[in-house]
Amino acid sequence: MRQMMVAGNWKMHGSVAFTSDMVTTLASKVVIKENVTLLVCPPAVYLAQAAAAAAHSGVHVGAQNLASVASPGAYTGEVAGFMLADIGCQYVIVGHSERRALYAEDNEIVAHKAKVALDAGLVPLVCVGETLEQREAGKAQEVITAQLDAVSAVIGVDGWSQAIVAYEPVWAIGTGRTASPEQAQEIHAVIRARLAELDAGMATAMRILYGGSVKPDNAESIFSQLDVDGGLIGGASLNADDFARIYACAQTK
Ligand code: PEP
């Protein structure tokens, strides 16, 4: 049985007060189960605070992005993977569709960032997913396979063994339009099969999260699918009650 994960991507939301409130509320409200990882990904400036508040609570902390450069240097505004690890982050999201679309991060950059994250001792949550246009053109599987293959070429089986995949159909992110459980399962199975072409054991163990308008009332049906191992949650992760309820749904699998 694979470990489940429920991860919250706060995006560019939060404050000092919100961070301490959210982490302490989650730590007290949620009964953390060993087989379901609970992760919060606040903006970079609140990571150290979140990591301190989460210490010994079972709540894990991850970043939303990292620099593509591994070593210190003249890279104004960037945050390195080793710095994230230094302040207590264990995970980092790479390849989120907002970074692909708004910051021109292509498959090669995403793959490189996944490698930099692994080298810094972080677990990359590698996001893949198709746009509505690509889905309607019948290209969802082709797009996702290309996104995976680019990462495979750089991190290989060993890297994937330390990583997590998040399937996030772009048309479902922040739109209130969720993939049906069957649509999610179909693509999750494609992802696992593609990874199995590299290594069957790695693919079987891979955690594949679904992301895209997951809410307390749809989480259970999505998480119940065979190849869905939890969720990457945006909007609903900003509400402690909703996020706790989504976490509870992952425990029922
Ligand atoms: C996300 O941004 O990763 C996401 C899944 O957002 P939402 O849950 O708001 O659709």
Side-chain angles (χ1 to χ4, degrees):
M1 190 65 191
R2 285 181 292 273
Q3 176 104 11
M4 298 279 284
M5 170 179 266
V6 174
N9 173 13
W10 296 5
K11 311 193 186 190
M12 201 171 76
H13 295 281
S15 62
V16 169
F18 177 90
T19 301
S20 96
D21 218 52
M22 180 61 85
V23 176
T24 48
T25 307
L26 286 176
S28 64
K29 214 181 242 292
V30 175
V31 183
I32 307 273
K33 292 278 165 61
E34 230 174 74
N35 61 337
V36 188
T37 307
L38 178 61
L39 175 69
V40 292
C41 300
V45 287
Y46 304 123
L47 284 169
Q49 183 200 349
H56 313 299
S57 70
V59 176
H60 296 262
V61 175
Q64 298 172 18
N65 182 33
L66 83 169
S68 56
V69 181
S71 306
Y75 305 103
T76 303
E78 290 295 279
V79 177
F82 74 86
M83 295 171 180
L84 297 173
D86 191 33
I87 55 114
C89 271
Q90 294 153 295
Y91 299 85
V92 61
I93 299 170
V94 298
H96 192 281
S97 61
E98 287 154 16
R99 294 215 57 92
R100 290 178 188 264
L102 302 173
Y103 302 99
E105 295 194 359
D106 60 16
N107 285 347
E108 283 61 45
I109 293 175
V110 173
H112 181 65
K113 285 192 171 189
K115 170 87 169 79
V116 170
L118 288 163
D119 289 346
L122 300 165
V123 175
L125 264 80
V126 179
C127 299
V128 296
E130 80 287 2
T131 63
L132 186 58
E133 202 183 9
Q134 290 163 337
R135 173 163 280 263
E136 286 177 348
K139 293 195 165 152
Q141 296 191 14
E142 186 187 317
V143 167
I144 289 158
T145 300
Q147 290 170 337
L148 289 172
D149 289 356
V151 178
S152 299
V154 176
I155 70 171
V157 174
D158 287 351
W160 276 127
S161 303
Q162 308 298 318
I164 293 172
V165 176
Y167 167 54
E168 298 211 307
V170 180
W171 47 272
I173 294 179
T175 59
R177 186 177 165 187
T178 321
S180 68
E182 295 72 27
Q183 284 172 321
Q185 169 56 29
E186 185 190 9
I187 299 292
H188 281 232
V190 167
I191 292 169
R192 203 176 299 287
R194 190 65 177 182
L195 294 176
E197 288 175 29
L198 286 180
D199 186 88
M202 173 274 285
T204 302
M206 176 60 72
R207 284 191 276 180
I208 308 176
L209 314 184
Y210 169 80
S213 297
V214 175
K215 307 287 176 214
D217 59 1
N218 61 24
E220 194 168 345
S221 60
I222 295 173
F223 294 169
S224 68
Q225 298 298 307
L226 189 65
D227 288 295
V228 177
D229 306 307
L232 178 54
I233 322 296
S237 74
L238 298 172
N239 178 298
D241 278 334
D242 285 354
F243 195 52
R245 285 172 60 203
I246 292 170
Y247 181 80
C249 290
Q251 294 178 341
T252 62
K253 187 159 179 179

